[in-house]
Amino acid sequence: MTSSTPDTAPPEAGPSWLDRFHAGDAEVLQACYREHFEGVLRVVSRLLPAVDAETVIHDLFLRLLSSEEVRRSFQGGSLPAWLNTLARNQALDVLRRRQREQEALARFASEQDDTATTPLEPALDAESLLERFRRERLPPKWAPVFEARFIRQLSQREAAQSLGIQRTTLAYQELRVRHLLKKFLLSPEVR
């Protein structure tokens, strides 16, 4: 194999390739991304919808680029197997987080249903909560993403296109907004 990111690094290439990988050598990491993106996508796509799978994979490769600690956790052996394991674990984390969010939102909705006295109140409460979230917690720079994804409910691709930003940038901002919204909805002052 003439690949710069071998399945299993040959003994003569292992130490120098592995050292370059651990050091974050741009050429090695670019080759790693190009050669292993599709395989990792297949693994993650079994757990998540395509858009979410791509987000997980881009997050994984961002971690590889930015964290020597993550790169050093690979000590040799099968690089695709290691990448697949990291990506699968990240996908499972996304699934667990979404499940917790859904449960929290369901609890919040049921608590709101218990206190509603007229059919219009929940809508008014939701509007006032959204407005309060925007005013108190949402950074202005993420307001367009919040509007596109949470209010207008555009897909990530549609939202990124309408805002003129990269989908991965949008996905990152959406994740941050989702985290802020969750913290806001679960905070004691909202209940």
Side-chain angles (χ1 to χ4, degrees), residues 8-186:
T8 302
E12 66 277 2
S16 65
W17 177 88
L18 189 57
D19 290 341
R20 290 174 62 202
F21 179 78
H22 286 166
D25 181 280
E27 183 180 307
V28 170
L29 294 175
Q30 286 173 4
C32 178
Y33 179 83
R34 281 191 310 273
E35 293 174 22
H36 299 290
F37 178 87
E38 291 298 324
V40 174
L41 179 61
R42 281 190 299 277
V43 169
V44 176
S45 292
R46 293 181 193 133
L47 299 169
L48 297 171
V51 171
D52 294 331
E54 281 186 30
T55 301
V56 165
I57 293 166
H58 285 119
D59 184 51
L60 168 67
F61 282 103
L62 176 62
R63 286 177 51 215
L64 282 179
L65 285 171
S66 60
S67 174
E68 184 176 350
E69 182 181 345
V70 172
R71 292 188 304 271
R72 287 202 176 276
S73 69
F74 177 68
Q75 294 298 311
S78 174
L79 182 64
W82 180 74
L83 289 170
N84 290 344
T85 299
L86 288 179
R88 185 178 59 75
N89 289 343
Q90 271 188 241
L92 291 172
D93 288 344
V94 167
L95 287 173
R96 286 185 202 106
R97 186 171 45 249
R98 289 239 172 95
Q99 183 178 2
R100 287 192 304 269
E101 287 173 2
Q102 293 299 324
E103 290 169 359
L105 289 172
R107 279 195 312 271
F108 179 75
S110 71
E111 289 172 4
Q112 293 302 311
D113 288 344
D114 292 344
T115 61
T117 58
T118 68
L120 294 178
E121 262 187 44
L124 294 174
D125 285 345
E127 282 183 35
S128 67
L129 275 176
L130 285 177
E131 193 52 45
R132 188 170 153 208
F133 171 72
R134 282 182 179 137
R135 189 178 56 250
E136 295 177 10
R137 303 283 178 93
L138 185 65
K141 65 182 179 182
W142 293 341
V145 170
F146 177 75
E147 178 71 27
R149 288 290 288 145
F150 294 87
I151 304 301
R152 294 175 30 215
Q153 297 187 347
L154 298 176
S155 71
Q156 281 189 340
R157 289 194 194 286
E158 293 168 334
Q161 188 175 21
S162 75
L163 297 173
I165 61 176
Q166 295 290 322
R167 193 196 61 74
T168 53
T169 301
L170 178 123
Y172 169 76
Q173 290 182 10
E174 177 185 339
L175 185 65
R176 298 300 306 238
V177 169
R178 189 178 301 276
H179 176 74
L180 289 174
L181 183 59
K182 180 180 173 185
K183 279 179 66 173
F184 174 73
L185 291 175
L186 296 175

